[in-house]
Amino acid sequence: MKHLLKLLDLSGEDINELLNLADQLKYEQKHHIPHPRLAGKTLGMIFEKASTRTRVSFEVGMNQLGGQPLFLSAGDMQIGRGEPVQDTARVLSRYLDGIMIRTFKQDEVEALAQYGSIPIINGLTDFAHPCQVLADLMTIREYKGSLDGLKMCFIGDGNNMMNSLIVGGLKSKMEVAVACPKDYRPAAEVLDFAMQHPAFSMTEDPMEAAKGADVVITDVWASMGQEEEAAKRRAAFAGYQINSQVMSVAKPDAMVLHCLPAHREEEITGEIFEKHSKEIFDEAENRLHAQKAVLVKLLG
Ligand code: CP
Ligand code: NVA
């Protein structure tokens, strides 16, 4: 594994190894066992979109590993004025030991990896959110013991989260059922992969997808960059909410996850959110541990 650009590039074994390492790093941190595995290393973090969790967890994670994070706001860089990503990649490769980037186009992340000579980590694109899904899988495994054979249900937009959960879930031997309106399906590349798996299903009916689920997951209806479509999307996704009715057909001990930020009474009711807040905030915490595993694996 040289980069983390999207989960499609990883094997199930790669994912499993990262989750094991994440568990170990979490244990060490909880027991105050220092683990300066990246002493002397610097991670550049390019942000072209807003972030709370990704920025803070990468910064804190790099510090805990004895390395240094460098926050790079794209708006303050020449890349924001049109310097080609190919040149940015080659320059930053001379200074840094790794780059995390949050941006719009997946192609930009792939170009960084192609032209640079250091590991590239996707901190969210319109297409994928692999760091989040590693944390989600880690959290499910913590609560359920193993992932094999569990049913994951995602209700909502065929966005970066749905794309990455489908791939991560199937590669971890989970059953994956998604419910979305027909105009908001996951990316074609993801569907091509998923359709080869009998454990995958897609429907327009949230109740059907949630039936017997061990974990029910959702995300915002309008992602970053889609703010102008918010009203149109609110109408399209009106029936795609995680609420008590949907949860009544899931397993009685089903978990609920949300990558956050959440819009209460849109994709999830406040009631269900609060009922499952322990899981949801464990999930947020696990961003730190899962990303430290990625950093150790790629930069260590
Ligand atoms: N879930 C997530 O990536 O959060 P941020 O946008 O706050 O980084
Ligand atoms: N789908 C959301 C995820 C935010 C973490 C977005 O891209 O804005």
Side-chain angles (χ1 to χ4, degrees):
M1 215 182 123
K2 275 170 66 184
H3 305 284
L4 178 60
L5 309 179
K6 56 187 182 301
L7 294 181
L8 277 169
D9 300 337
L10 271 54
S11 67
E13 194 42 44
D14 290 332
I15 294 173
N16 192 45
E17 274 176 25
L18 284 170
L19 299 185
N20 290 342
L21 181 54
D23 285 348
Q24 187 188 329
L25 292 167
K26 182 170 183 174
Y27 176 89
E28 289 177 14
Q29 196 228 322
K30 296 286 177 195
H31 291 81
H32 308 289
I33 302 166
H35 41 250
R37 300 189 192 197
L38 297 183
K41 304 271 169 121
T42 307
L43 176 77
M45 310 190 307
I46 303 173
F47 282 91
E48 295 194 35
K49 289 175 174 172
S51 170
T52 297
R53 282 144 287 269
T54 305
R55 176 179 175 181
V56 177
S57 55
F58 266 106
E59 282 208 30
V60 170
M62 259 326 260
N63 280 314
Q64 290 178 357
L65 290 166
Q68 200 186 333
L70 198 60
F71 175 72
L72 301 165
S73 168
D76 296 327
M77 294 173 73
Q78 298 290 9
I79 202 171
R81 294 179 57 244
E83 183 170 16
V85 68
Q86 296 89 325
D87 296 355
T88 306
R90 284 176 283 191
V91 171
L92 293 183
S93 292
R94 309 280 181 124
Y95 306 138
L96 300 168
D97 300 288
I99 296 174
M100 189 243 66
I101 179 166
R102 166 169 287 198
T103 188
F104 294 85
K105 292 197 176 85
Q106 181 71 19
D107 285 354
E108 197 175 325
V109 178
E110 306 275 343
L112 265 186
Q114 190 187 337
Y115 286 89
S117 53
I118 55 175
I120 306 298
I121 300 169
N122 180 348
L124 180 146
T125 59
D126 293 344
F127 174 70
H129 199 359
C131 293
Q132 179 69 53
V133 169
L134 289 172
D136 291 9
L137 295 172
M138 179 183 179
T139 311
I140 300 167
R141 217 172 70 154
E142 265 177 2
Y143 276 77
K144 302 289 181 189
S146 96
L147 299 173
D148 205 337
L150 293 183
K151 179 174 179 181
M152 171 200 288
C153 159
F154 184 97
I155 296 173
D157 189 18
N159 61 12
N160 41 19
M161 279 304 298
M162 189 193 281
N163 286 337
S164 295
L165 281 165
I166 290 172
V167 177
L170 291 173
K171 289 199 180 220
S172 302
K173 302 198 178 79
M174 297 179 81
E175 184 185 337
V176 179
V178 301
C180 54
K182 69 173 182 339
D183 293 335
Y184 296 92
R185 287 187 175 158
E189 197 181 341
V190 169
L191 279 182
D192 285 347
F193 167 81
M195 291 304 188
Q196 298 163 22
H197 292 258
F200 175 72
S201 62
M202 182 168 67
T203 168
E204 287 174 45
D205 179 2
M207 299 297 277
E208 188 187 323
K211 206 166 166 208
D214 295 281
V215 51
V216 183
I217 313 179
T218 190
D219 184 18
V220 292
W221 292 338
S223 286
M224 290 182 274
Q226 298 170 335
E227 288 78 5
E228 283 173 11
E229 293 175 32
K232 181 178 151 211
R233 285 172 165 269
R234 260 195 298 276
F237 288 100
Y240 291 82
Q241 182 187 61
I242 300 190
N243 51 35
S244 53
Q245 198 192 353
V246 164
M247 293 310 295
S248 73
V249 298
K251 291 232 178 87
D253 62 349
M255 300 170 68
V256 172
L257 295 180
H258 192 308
C259 65
L260 306 175
H263 294 170
R264 287 168 178 77
E265 312 314 328
E266 289 193 13
E267 74 272 6
I268 187 166
T269 59
E271 183 207 345
I272 296 295
F273 184 93
E274 289 306 328
K275 196 169 161 197
H276 293 272
S277 57
K278 170 85 168 57
E279 293 136 44
I280 292 170
F281 292 104
D282 280 344
E283 174 191 14
E285 178 188 327
N286 284 339
R287 291 294 304 276
L288 172 67
H289 309 298
Q291 284 158 199
K292 282 168 72 181
V294 171
L295 289 167
V296 168
K297 177 93 183 160
L298 295 179
L299 276 63

mmCIF file of all heavy atoms in Angstrom, residues 189-229:
data_model
loop_
_atom_site.group_PDB
_atom_site.id
_atom_site.type_symbol
_atom_site.label_atom_id
_atom_site.label_comp_id
_atom_site.label_asym_id
_atom_site.label_seq_id
_atom_site.Cartn_x
_atom_site.Cartn_y
_atom_site.Cartn_z
ATOM 1 N N GLU A 189 -18.536 3.481 -11.109
ATOM 2 C CA GLU A 189 -17.363 2.646 -10.812
ATOM 3 C C GLU A 189 -17.625 1.767 -9.572
ATOM 4 O O GLU A 189 -17.200 0.609 -9.513
ATOM 5 C CB GLU A 189 -16.205 3.611 -10.531
ATOM 6 C CG GLU A 189 -14.841 3.022 -10.583
ATOM 7 C CD GLU A 189 -13.778 4.086 -10.254
ATOM 8 O OE1 GLU A 189 -14.058 5.309 -10.342
ATOM 9 O OE2 GLU A 189 -12.679 3.675 -9.883
ATOM 10 N N VAL A 190 -18.331 2.333 -8.612
ATOM 11 C CA VAL A 190 -18.650 1.601 -7.387
ATOM 12 C C VAL A 190 -19.719 0.545 -7.680
ATOM 13 O O VAL A 190 -19.623 -0.599 -7.224
ATOM 14 C CB VAL A 190 -19.109 2.571 -6.273
ATOM 15 C CG1 VAL A 190 -19.702 1.824 -5.094
ATOM 16 C CG2 VAL A 190 -17.948 3.450 -5.842
ATOM 17 N N LEU A 191 -20.704 0.925 -8.472
ATOM 18 C CA LEU A 191 -21.759 -0.039 -8.822
ATOM 19 C C LEU A 191 -21.184 -1.212 -9.618
ATOM 20 O O LEU A 191 -21.578 -2.363 -9.404
ATOM 21 C CB LEU A 191 -22.873 0.647 -9.601
ATOM 22 C CG LEU A 191 -23.891 1.420 -8.751
ATOM 23 C CD1 LEU A 191 -24.974 2.028 -9.638
ATOM 24 C CD2 LEU A 191 -24.532 0.532 -7.680
ATOM 25 N N ASP A 192 -20.246 -0.913 -10.511
ATOM 26 C CA ASP A 192 -19.609 -1.997 -11.277
ATOM 27 C C ASP A 192 -18.970 -3.005 -10.337
ATOM 28 O O ASP A 192 -19.067 -4.218 -10.542
ATOM 29 C CB ASP A 192 -18.516 -1.426 -12.198
ATOM 30 C CG ASP A 192 -19.105 -0.724 -13.410
ATOM 31 O OD1 ASP A 192 -20.325 -0.887 -13.654
ATOM 32 O OD2 ASP A 192 -18.356 0.005 -14.087
ATOM 33 N N PHE A 193 -18.307 -2.494 -9.313
ATOM 34 C CA PHE A 193 -17.662 -3.367 -8.324
ATOM 35 C C PHE A 193 -18.715 -4.113 -7.504
ATOM 36 O O PHE A 193 -18.656 -5.330 -7.338
ATOM 37 C CB PHE A 193 -16.767 -2.513 -7.409
ATOM 38 C CG PHE A 193 -16.301 -3.224 -6.170
ATOM 39 C CD1 PHE A 193 -15.222 -4.102 -6.208
ATOM 40 C CD2 PHE A 193 -16.949 -3.033 -4.950
ATOM 41 C CE1 PHE A 193 -14.804 -4.768 -5.068
ATOM 42 C CE2 PHE A 193 -16.533 -3.692 -3.801
ATOM 43 C CZ PHE A 193 -15.460 -4.566 -3.873
ATOM 44 N N ALA A 194 -19.719 -3.363 -7.046
ATOM 45 C CA ALA A 194 -20.693 -3.938 -6.115
ATOM 46 C C ALA A 194 -21.559 -5.013 -6.773
ATOM 47 O O ALA A 194 -21.909 -6.016 -6.137
ATOM 48 C CB ALA A 194 -21.577 -2.827 -5.551
ATOM 49 N N MET A 195 -21.895 -4.786 -8.041
ATOM 50 C CA MET A 195 -22.796 -5.715 -8.728
ATOM 51 C C MET A 195 -22.194 -7.116 -8.868
ATOM 52 O O MET A 195 -22.909 -8.076 -9.110
ATOM 53 C CB MET A 195 -23.184 -5.166 -10.111
ATOM 54 C CG MET A 195 -24.077 -3.932 -10.046
ATOM 55 S SD MET A 195 -25.593 -4.199 -9.088
ATOM 56 C CE MET A 195 -26.492 -2.692 -9.421
ATOM 57 N N GLN A 196 -20.881 -7.223 -8.695
ATOM 58 C CA GLN A 196 -20.258 -8.551 -8.762
ATOM 59 C C GLN A 196 -20.445 -9.321 -7.449
ATOM 60 O O GLN A 196 -20.053 -10.485 -7.352
ATOM 61 C CB GLN A 196 -18.753 -8.416 -9.022
ATOM 62 C CG GLN A 196 -18.408 -7.744 -10.330
ATOM 63 C CD GLN A 196 -16.948 -7.273 -10.330
ATOM 64 O OE1 GLN A 196 -16.125 -7.773 -9.575
ATOM 65 N NE2 GLN A 196 -16.647 -6.311 -11.176
ATOM 66 N N HIS A 197 -20.975 -8.640 -6.438
ATOM 67 C CA HIS A 197 -21.116 -9.269 -5.112
ATOM 68 C C HIS A 197 -22.575 -9.606 -4.831
ATOM 69 O O HIS A 197 -23.411 -8.714 -4.770
ATOM 70 C CB HIS A 197 -20.615 -8.321 -4.016
ATOM 71 C CG HIS A 197 -19.148 -8.089 -4.047
ATOM 72 N ND1 HIS A 197 -18.265 -8.701 -3.181
ATOM 73 C CD2 HIS A 197 -18.397 -7.319 -4.859
ATOM 74 C CE1 HIS A 197 -17.027 -8.308 -3.464
ATOM 75 N NE2 HIS A 197 -17.091 -7.467 -4.471
ATOM 76 N N PRO A 198 -22.873 -10.880 -4.597
ATOM 77 C CA PRO A 198 -24.253 -11.244 -4.245
ATOM 78 C C PRO A 198 -24.691 -10.604 -2.923
ATOM 79 O O PRO A 198 -25.893 -10.484 -2.663
ATOM 80 C CB PRO A 198 -24.208 -12.774 -4.111
ATOM 81 C CG PRO A 198 -22.843 -13.213 -4.457
ATOM 82 C CD PRO A 198 -21.972 -12.028 -4.674
ATOM 83 N N ALA A 199 -23.728 -10.166 -2.099
ATOM 84 C CA ALA A 199 -24.058 -9.563 -0.799
ATOM 85 C C ALA A 199 -24.475 -8.104 -0.919
ATOM 86 O O ALA A 199 -24.745 -7.455 0.086
ATOM 87 C CB ALA A 199 -22.859 -9.685 0.143
ATOM 88 N N PHE A 200 -24.540 -7.594 -2.165
ATOM 89 C CA PHE A 200 -24.925 -6.186 -2.359
ATOM 90 C C PHE A 200 -26.349 -6.078 -2.889
ATOM 91 O O PHE A 200 -26.765 -6.852 -3.748
ATOM 92 C CB PHE A 200 -23.978 -5.514 -3.369
ATOM 93 C CG PHE A 200 -24.400 -4.101 -3.709
ATOM 94 C CD1 PHE A 200 -24.248 -3.069 -2.778
ATOM 95 C CD2 PHE A 200 -24.961 -3.793 -4.945
ATOM 96 C CE1 PHE A 200 -24.646 -1.771 -3.075
ATOM 97 C CE2 PHE A 200 -25.360 -2.496 -5.244
ATOM 98 C CZ PHE A 200 -25.205 -1.485 -4.314
ATOM 99 N N SER A 201 -27.092 -5.110 -2.368
ATOM 100 C CA SER A 201 -28.411 -4.823 -2.946
ATOM 101 C C SER A 201 -28.669 -3.328 -2.900
ATOM 102 O O SER A 201 -28.181 -2.618 -2.023
ATOM 103 C CB SER A 201 -29.506 -5.580 -2.193
ATOM 104 O OG SER A 201 -29.551 -5.158 -0.845
ATOM 105 N N MET A 202 -29.454 -2.858 -3.881
ATOM 106 C CA MET A 202 -29.816 -1.442 -3.959
ATOM 107 C C MET A 202 -31.315 -1.347 -4.223
ATOM 108 O O MET A 202 -31.851 -2.068 -5.057
ATOM 109 C CB MET A 202 -29.040 -0.777 -5.099
ATOM 110 C CG MET A 202 -29.302 0.714 -5.225
ATOM 111 S SD MET A 202 -28.118 1.524 -6.324
ATOM 112 C CE MET A 202 -28.558 0.804 -7.897
ATOM 113 N N THR A 203 -31.977 -0.462 -3.476
ATOM 114 C CA THR A 203 -33.418 -0.318 -3.607
ATOM 115 C C THR A 203 -33.787 1.156 -3.442
ATOM 116 O O THR A 203 -32.967 1.960 -3.009
ATOM 117 C CB THR A 203 -34.138 -1.165 -2.523
ATOM 118 O OG1 THR A 203 -35.515 -0.807 -2.476
ATOM 119 C CG2 THR A 203 -33.569 -0.919 -1.131
ATOM 120 N N GLU A 204 -35.038 1.486 -3.793
ATOM 121 C CA GLU A 204 -35.528 2.843 -3.510
ATOM 122 C C GLU A 204 -36.309 2.859 -2.194
ATOM 123 O O GLU A 204 -36.809 3.901 -1.796
ATOM 124 C CB GLU A 204 -36.417 3.324 -4.669
ATOM 125 C CG GLU A 204 -35.626 3.678 -5.917
ATOM 126 C CD GLU A 204 -36.516 4.015 -7.091
ATOM 127 O OE1 GLU A 204 -37.495 4.769 -6.915
ATOM 128 O OE2 GLU A 204 -36.236 3.503 -8.201
ATOM 129 N N ASP A 205 -36.414 1.685 -1.550
ATOM 130 C CA ASP A 205 -37.243 1.563 -0.352
ATOM 131 C C ASP A 205 -36.378 1.432 0.916
ATOM 132 O O ASP A 205 -35.779 0.374 1.160
ATOM 133 C CB ASP A 205 -38.125 0.309 -0.512
ATOM 134 C CG ASP A 205 -39.018 0.080 0.697
ATOM 135 O OD1 ASP A 205 -38.981 0.906 1.635
ATOM 136 O OD2 ASP A 205 -39.728 -0.943 0.696
ATOM 137 N N PRO A 206 -36.321 2.480 1.746
ATOM 138 C CA PRO A 206 -35.489 2.439 2.956
ATOM 139 C C PRO A 206 -35.870 1.299 3.904
ATOM 140 O O PRO A 206 -34.991 0.699 4.537
ATOM 141 C CB PRO A 206 -35.754 3.790 3.637
ATOM 142 C CG PRO A 206 -36.292 4.680 2.578
ATOM 143 C CD PRO A 206 -36.982 3.805 1.580
ATOM 144 N N MET A 207 -37.157 0.971 3.982
ATOM 145 C CA MET A 207 -37.585 -0.098 4.898
ATOM 146 C C MET A 207 -37.007 -1.447 4.463
ATOM 147 O O MET A 207 -36.604 -2.266 5.287
ATOM 148 C CB MET A 207 -39.115 -0.182 4.948
ATOM 149 C CG MET A 207 -39.796 1.073 5.450
ATOM 150 S SD MET A 207 -39.367 1.480 7.149
ATOM 151 C CE MET A 207 -40.503 0.427 8.013
ATOM 152 N N GLU A 208 -36.993 -1.656 3.160
ATOM 153 C CA GLU A 208 -36.442 -2.908 2.634
ATOM 154 C C GLU A 208 -34.943 -3.001 2.951
ATOM 155 O O GLU A 208 -34.443 -4.048 3.381
ATOM 156 C CB GLU A 208 -36.670 -2.939 1.114
ATOM 157 C CG GLU A 208 -36.317 -4.246 0.457
ATOM 158 C CD GLU A 208 -36.417 -4.135 -1.069
ATOM 159 O OE1 GLU A 208 -37.322 -3.433 -1.574
ATOM 160 O OE2 GLU A 208 -35.558 -4.735 -1.748
ATOM 161 N N ALA A 209 -34.230 -1.902 2.758
ATOM 162 C CA ALA A 209 -32.780 -1.916 3.011
ATOM 163 C C ALA A 209 -32.482 -2.110 4.498
ATOM 164 O O ALA A 209 -31.512 -2.770 4.865
ATOM 165 C CB ALA A 209 -32.156 -0.619 2.504
ATOM 166 N N ALA A 210 -33.308 -1.534 5.345
ATOM 167 C CA ALA A 210 -33.032 -1.569 6.798
ATOM 168 C C ALA A 210 -33.417 -2.894 7.445
ATOM 169 O O ALA A 210 -32.990 -3.188 8.568
ATOM 170 C CB ALA A 210 -33.780 -0.432 7.495
ATOM 171 N N LYS A 211 -34.202 -3.690 6.745
ATOM 172 C CA LYS A 211 -34.729 -4.924 7.333
ATOM 173 C C LYS A 211 -33.608 -5.851 7.818
ATOM 174 O O LYS A 211 -32.738 -6.248 7.040
ATOM 175 C CB LYS A 211 -35.583 -5.656 6.285
ATOM 176 C CG LYS A 211 -36.631 -6.532 6.878
ATOM 177 C CD LYS A 211 -37.641 -6.955 5.829
ATOM 178 C CE LYS A 211 -38.449 -8.104 6.409
ATOM 179 N NZ LYS A 211 -38.960 -9.001 5.396
ATOM 180 N N GLY A 212 -33.606 -6.151 9.103
ATOM 181 C CA GLY A 212 -32.621 -7.081 9.662
ATOM 182 C C GLY A 212 -31.200 -6.522 9.722
ATOM 183 O O GLY A 212 -30.248 -7.286 9.927
ATOM 184 N N ALA A 213 -31.044 -5.202 9.572
ATOM 185 C CA ALA A 213 -29.695 -4.623 9.542
ATOM 186 C C ALA A 213 -29.062 -4.625 10.930
ATOM 187 O O ALA A 213 -29.735 -4.445 11.944
ATOM 188 C CB ALA A 213 -29.741 -3.194 9.005
ATOM 189 N N ASP A 214 -27.726 -4.831 10.947
ATOM 190 C CA ASP A 214 -26.953 -4.739 12.182
ATOM 191 C C ASP A 214 -26.462 -3.315 12.408
ATOM 192 O O ASP A 214 -26.152 -2.931 13.522
ATOM 193 C CB ASP A 214 -25.733 -5.668 12.110
ATOM 194 C CG ASP A 214 -26.149 -7.116 12.029
ATOM 195 O OD1 ASP A 214 -26.495 -7.680 13.072
ATOM 196 O OD2 ASP A 214 -26.147 -7.679 10.908
ATOM 197 N N VAL A 215 -26.338 -2.572 11.322
ATOM 198 C CA VAL A 215 -25.902 -1.180 11.429
ATOM 199 C C VAL A 215 -26.593 -0.364 10.336
ATOM 200 O O VAL A 215 -26.658 -0.793 9.182
ATOM 201 C CB VAL A 215 -24.356 -1.054 11.385
ATOM 202 C CG1 VAL A 215 -23.746 -1.781 10.216
ATOM 203 C CG2 VAL A 215 -23.915 0.406 11.370
ATOM 204 N N VAL A 216 -27.152 0.759 10.759
ATOM 205 C CA VAL A 216 -27.885 1.642 9.840
ATOM 206 C C VAL A 216 -27.130 2.971 9.793
ATOM 207 O O VAL A 216 -26.826 3.557 10.833
ATOM 208 C CB VAL A 216 -29.338 1.853 10.324
ATOM 209 C CG1 VAL A 216 -30.111 2.705 9.325
ATOM 210 C CG2 VAL A 216 -30.039 0.509 10.531
ATOM 211 N N ILE A 217 -26.820 3.402 8.577
ATOM 212 C CA ILE A 217 -25.935 4.567 8.418
ATOM 213 C C ILE A 217 -26.567 5.573 7.458
ATOM 214 O O ILE A 217 -27.248 5.197 6.499
ATOM 215 C CB ILE A 217 -24.553 4.133 7.868
ATOM 216 C CG1 ILE A 217 -24.015 2.912 8.625
ATOM 217 C CG2 ILE A 217 -23.559 5.291 7.929
ATOM 218 C CD1 ILE A 217 -22.667 2.400 8.138
ATOM 219 N N THR A 218 -26.333 6.856 7.727
ATOM 220 C CA THR A 218 -26.756 7.877 6.775
ATOM 221 C C THR A 218 -25.748 9.008 6.756
ATOM 222 O O THR A 218 -24.742 8.988 7.468
ATOM 223 C CB THR A 218 -28.179 8.394 7.098
ATOM 224 O OG1 THR A 218 -28.628 9.211 6.006
ATOM 225 C CG2 THR A 218 -28.212 9.211 8.379
ATOM 226 N N ASP A 219 -26.019 9.989 5.920
ATOM 227 C CA ASP A 219 -25.155 11.161 5.764
ATOM 228 C C ASP A 219 -26.053 12.289 5.251
ATOM 229 O O ASP A 219 -27.207 12.044 4.864
ATOM 230 C CB ASP A 219 -24.031 10.827 4.762
ATOM 231 C CG ASP A 219 -23.021 11.961 4.594
ATOM 232 O OD1 ASP A 219 -22.955 12.855 5.466
ATOM 233 O OD2 ASP A 219 -22.304 11.964 3.571
ATOM 234 N N VAL A 220 -25.509 13.477 5.211
ATOM 235 C CA VAL A 220 -26.292 14.648 4.761
ATOM 236 C C VAL A 220 -26.846 14.431 3.352
ATOM 237 O O VAL A 220 -26.297 13.680 2.560
ATOM 238 C CB VAL A 220 -25.437 15.923 4.768
ATOM 239 C CG1 VAL A 220 -25.085 16.318 6.192
ATOM 240 C CG2 VAL A 220 -24.180 15.773 3.928
ATOM 241 N N TRP A 221 -27.928 15.142 3.054
ATOM 242 C CA TRP A 221 -28.521 15.068 1.710
ATOM 243 C C TRP A 221 -27.809 15.992 0.718
ATOM 244 O O TRP A 221 -27.816 15.736 -0.482
ATOM 245 C CB TRP A 221 -30.007 15.443 1.799
ATOM 246 C CG TRP A 221 -30.820 14.422 2.555
ATOM 247 C CD1 TRP A 221 -30.509 13.106 2.766
ATOM 248 C CD2 TRP A 221 -32.081 14.641 3.193
ATOM 249 N NE1 TRP A 221 -31.503 12.496 3.489
ATOM 250 C CE2 TRP A 221 -32.486 13.411 3.764
ATOM 251 C CE3 TRP A 221 -32.924 15.745 3.332
ATOM 252 C CZ2 TRP A 221 -33.679 13.259 4.457
ATOM 253 C CZ3 TRP A 221 -34.115 15.594 4.032
ATOM 254 C CH2 TRP A 221 -34.486 14.363 4.581
ATOM 255 N N ALA A 222 -27.252 17.072 1.227
ATOM 256 C CA ALA A 222 -26.480 17.980 0.361
ATOM 257 C C ALA A 222 -25.061 18.072 0.905
ATOM 258 O O ALA A 222 -24.840 18.562 2.008
ATOM 259 C CB ALA A 222 -27.124 19.363 0.311
ATOM 260 N N SER A 223 -24.109 17.562 0.140
ATOM 261 C CA SER A 223 -22.715 17.550 0.580
ATOM 262 C C SER A 223 -22.053 18.899 0.313
ATOM 263 O O SER A 223 -22.634 19.770 -0.350
ATOM 264 C CB SER A 223 -21.961 16.444 -0.172
ATOM 265 O OG SER A 223 -22.315 15.183 0.336
ATOM 266 N N MET A 224 -20.828 19.032 0.797
ATOM 267 C CA MET A 224 -20.079 20.265 0.560
ATOM 268 C C MET A 224 -19.923 20.483 -0.949
ATOM 269 O O MET A 224 -19.542 19.564 -1.675
ATOM 270 C CB MET A 224 -18.708 20.185 1.231
ATOM 271 C CG MET A 224 -18.797 20.239 2.741
ATOM 272 S SD MET A 224 -17.178 20.196 3.525
ATOM 273 C CE MET A 224 -16.890 18.423 3.624
ATOM 274 N N GLY A 225 -20.266 21.668 -1.392
ATOM 275 C CA GLY A 225 -20.236 21.985 -2.824
ATOM 276 C C GLY A 225 -21.610 21.886 -3.461
ATOM 277 O O GLY A 225 -21.803 22.290 -4.607
ATOM 278 N N GLN A 226 -22.580 21.317 -2.722
ATOM 279 C CA GLN A 226 -23.946 21.156 -3.277
ATOM 280 C C GLN A 226 -24.941 22.057 -2.551
ATOM 281 O O GLN A 226 -26.150 21.809 -2.617
ATOM 282 C CB GLN A 226 -24.381 19.693 -3.142
ATOM 283 C CG GLN A 226 -23.494 18.735 -3.919
ATOM 284 C CD GLN A 226 -23.781 17.284 -3.602
ATOM 285 O OE1 GLN A 226 -24.280 16.943 -2.526
ATOM 286 N NE2 GLN A 226 -23.457 16.407 -4.538
ATOM 287 N N GLU A 227 -24.443 23.071 -1.885
ATOM 288 C CA GLU A 227 -25.306 23.927 -1.061
ATOM 289 C C GLU A 227 -26.465 24.511 -1.869
ATOM 290 O O GLU A 227 -27.576 24.640 -1.358
ATOM 291 C CB GLU A 227 -24.487 25.053 -0.413
ATOM 292 C CG GLU A 227 -23.548 24.600 0.716
ATOM 293 C CD GLU A 227 -22.253 23.943 0.244
ATOM 294 O OE1 GLU A 227 -21.997 23.910 -0.985
ATOM 295 O OE2 GLU A 227 -21.491 23.442 1.105
ATOM 296 N N GLU A 228 -26.195 24.849 -3.130
ATOM 297 C CA GLU A 228 -27.261 25.472 -3.938
ATOM 298 C C GLU A 228 -28.381 24.500 -4.296
ATOM 299 O O GLU A 228 -29.475 24.914 -4.654
ATOM 300 C CB GLU A 228 -26.668 26.082 -5.220
ATOM 301 C CG GLU A 228 -25.972 27.399 -4.923
ATOM 302 C CD GLU A 228 -25.229 27.956 -6.108
ATOM 303 O OE1 GLU A 228 -25.407 27.431 -7.231
ATOM 304 O OE2 GLU A 228 -24.469 28.912 -5.895
ATOM 305 N N GLU A 229 -28.094 23.206 -4.208
ATOM 306 C CA GLU A 229 -29.116 22.192 -4.528
ATOM 307 C C GLU A 229 -29.901 21.772 -3.291
ATOM 308 O O GLU A 229 -30.723 20.847 -3.374
ATOM 309 C CB GLU A 229 -28.445 20.920 -5.072
ATOM 310 C CG GLU A 229 -27.781 21.063 -6.401
ATOM 311 C CD GLU A 229 -27.042 19.762 -6.770
ATOM 312 O OE1 GLU A 229 -27.503 18.671 -6.388
ATOM 313 O OE2 GLU A 229 -26.000 19.861 -7.426
#
